[in-house]
Amino acid sequence: MTRAVCPGSFDPVTNGHLDIVRRAAAIFDELVVATGTNPSKSRLFEPEERLEMLREVCADLPNVTVMGFSGLIVDFCRDLGAPAIVKGLRGGNDYEYELPMAQMNVHLTGVETVFLPTNASWGYVSSSLVKEVATLGGDVSSLVPPVVHARLVARLAERAAQDGA
Ligand code: PNS
């Protein structure tokens, strides 16, 4: 049985992420979607909220589990007995960003990284852009699952109310 880990910040999970998760789940026997925190990115949702959204949107995928992690992704993979990490690639910038991490991870423990090309429909979608567009009043309802959109709208309304208070 081959288990793989699909890590990310997922702040929040987008349709692009979900497409990668579904396709990876069709390749590997078991897929663990793992939320970590990238300290260089601004955060809208707490780790537990990101886990809840991921669990809701992955509920129909029987071989997918959702977990949080901290520390090195290679240690998380080793603890789970997962020999592979799955990442989506939208283009050259993603590749430049991901390649040294994949090389570092194979150096550290031998864990391999499998890159899946993002479906062209979602090539321009990122959590950061979704948050920016939504914050400025743009419609992102077609870019994230409905449960995520509802939470996004609610969170941004909370933030706007706090800022206006
Ligand atoms: O693509 P993202 O969403 O920015 O990924 C974030 C995350 C948390 C998956 C990534 O930053 C990560 O793997 N962090 C774990 C720390 C780690 O192992 N760092 C060394 C990588 S070579």
Side-chain angles (χ1 to χ4, degrees):
M1 189 193 72
T2 307
R3 180 180 284 163
V5 172
C6 183
S9 304
F10 303 112
D11 184 43
V13 58
T14 68
N15 287 343
H17 291 131
L18 203 47
D19 174 63
I20 295 293
V21 168
R22 286 183 184 283
R23 287 161 55 209
I27 296 171
F28 293 98
D29 298 313
E30 200 181 314
L31 186 72
V32 177
V33 179
T35 59
T37 296
N38 183 340
S40 65
K41 292 182 178 173
S42 67
R43 194 171 70 185
L44 185 61
F45 292 100
E46 294 302 319
E48 191 53 42
E49 295 175 305
R50 289 183 263 141
L51 284 170
E52 285 167 8
M53 286 186 274
L54 277 167
R55 289 194 176 114
E56 285 188 60
V57 301
C58 295
D60 64 323
L61 299 169
N63 64 334
V64 173
T65 52
V66 176
M67 299 173 74
F69 80 98
S70 56
L72 289 174
I73 188 63
V74 291
D75 290 336
F76 182 74
C77 291
R78 188 167 45 199
D79 291 347
L80 285 177
I85 292 169
V86 178
K87 289 279 187 120
L89 287 185
R90 286 167 296 197
N93 285 347
D94 279 356
Y95 181 72
E96 295 292 333
Y97 175 68
E98 295 290 347
L99 181 64
M101 291 201 290
Q103 291 168 327
M104 177 61 82
N105 287 335
V106 83
H107 166 77
L108 289 171
T109 63
V111 69
E112 295 289 358
T113 298
V114 176
F115 292 122
L116 291 182
T118 298
N119 186 302
S121 310
W122 308 120
Y124 60 96
V125 178
S126 67
S127 300
S128 303
L129 263 188
V130 162
K131 287 183 283 191
E132 181 179 334
V133 171
T135 302
L136 297 172
D139 180 6
V140 295
S141 59
S142 62
L143 307 180
V144 293
V147 290
V148 173
H149 187 248
R151 286 215 191 198
L152 186 57
V153 169
R155 175 56 42 87
L156 292 174
E158 281 168 27
R159 288 275 171 100
Q162 280 166 7
D163 292 347

